[in-house]
Amino acid sequence: MSLRGFTHEMRVTLAVAMLCTAVALCGLSGPAGAEDTTKTDNASVDQAAPPVWREFHFPERGFVVSFPGVEEKPKAESTPVPGQNPLLQHEYKVKTGKDTVYCVVVFEYPEGRAPNPPKKDYFEKVVTAYAKGSDTKLRRKTPLKIDERPGFEAKAEDGRGKLNHLITMVANGDRIYMLISAGPKKHATSVDALRFRDSFRLLGGPPPEMAKKPNPDKG
């Protein structure tokens, strides 16, 4: 399917929605696209001053992240996965300017049924599905840890190198988190993309493997 003529935000929405195509084997379905959580009324104002970043807490989903350009906490588009209830998917999305989108997607499994810990190919299937949906090619895939939890990161771009996506994933208990930052050329390595990624942190105490370790300061 050609995405020529689609806006960059529409490409991201379609990419997230199409995750179900390749992630069905993992027991997931892609979240439905959410409406814009912010709108720019004056393009000249938008170009004159960079958007202000604000930190938002989502204790009900177990994470904290900073979004640019909004004063109120973005609301989730939450959808039960057909045929796999009570598996849920939650999407928080903010658009800035004409072609930059920041998005957090949370896949929430029933207790004890999430892949724990997820294997490398689990993350690869998800980012590959995203690349297919956004009509981009993966340029780099790297395993990593966030707050000592297993994770994965990938960069993608369109065939002409004009649109960049930074995709970061991390697993925590019964939830899988996916951060998407997408914008113009070189966005994936930009200050804003890294700021969005680095602002994300998990709530709910230390990871299980750390919780089991004895405290050297006691006893």
Side-chain angles (χ1 to χ4, degrees):
M1 163 172 126
S2 175
L3 298 184
R4 182 174 298 176
F6 280 63
T7 67
H8 189 42
E9 180 200 5
M10 291 170 67
R11 287 170 182 256
V12 173
T13 298
L14 283 171
V16 175
M18 288 178 66
L19 284 174
C20 58
T21 302
V23 191
L25 294 177
C26 302
L28 290 177
S29 177
E35 294 182 357
D36 291 352
T37 55
T38 181
K39 294 183 179 180
T40 302
D41 295 326
N42 189 322
S44 61
V45 173
D46 181 63
Q47 295 174 3
V52 176
W53 288 77
R54 291 179 174 84
E55 182 177 273
F56 299 99
H57 289 237
F58 300 88
E60 71 281 6
R61 300 281 93 82
F63 73 95
V64 175
V65 74
S66 293
F67 282 111
V70 289
E71 296 183 0
E72 297 183 0
K73 181 191 296 187
K75 295 181 179 180
E77 178 81 10
S78 300
T79 311
V81 178
Q84 301 185 55
N85 189 51
L87 177 59
L88 298 174
Q89 52 203 20
H90 313 279
E91 181 183 359
Y92 305 81
K93 184 171 65 175
V94 166
K95 178 186 176 185
T96 62
K98 296 181 179 180
D99 55 5
T100 303
V101 181
Y102 300 89
C103 181
V104 178
V105 181
V106 184
F107 300 107
E108 194 162 28
Y109 280 87
E111 184 177 358
R113 292 174 60 184
N116 190 19
K119 296 181 180 179
K120 180 182 177 181
D121 61 351
Y122 173 93
F123 292 123
E124 288 186 343
K125 288 177 182 177
V126 178
V127 297
T128 298
Y130 178 85
K132 181 178 180 180
S134 59
D135 198 22
T136 58
K137 294 183 179 180
L138 295 174
R139 298 302 187 193
R140 184 179 179 185
K141 297 181 291 184
T142 309
L144 81 166
K145 283 191 174 183
I146 296 179
D147 286 353
E148 298 302 318
R149 277 80 167 182
F152 196 81
E153 187 165 274
K155 295 180 176 66
E157 65 180 22
D158 69 345
R160 295 172 294 175
K162 292 185 177 181
L163 298 175
N164 259 206
H165 304 243
L166 179 63
I167 310 113
T168 306
M169 299 190 66
V170 61
N172 188 32
D174 295 316
R175 294 177 175 137
I176 306 292
Y177 299 88
M178 184 175 186
L179 282 76
I180 302 164
S181 176
K185 187 176 182 179
K186 297 184 179 180
H187 172 83
T189 56
S190 69
V191 172
D192 286 344
L194 299 180
R195 180 173 184 172
F196 177 64
R197 181 197 66 187
D198 295 342
S199 73
F200 179 87
R201 66 180 187 273
L202 296 163
L203 299 174
E209 61 269 23
M210 292 184 66
K212 295 178 182 178
K213 293 181 180 180
N215 189 334
D217 296 330
K218 293 184 180 182

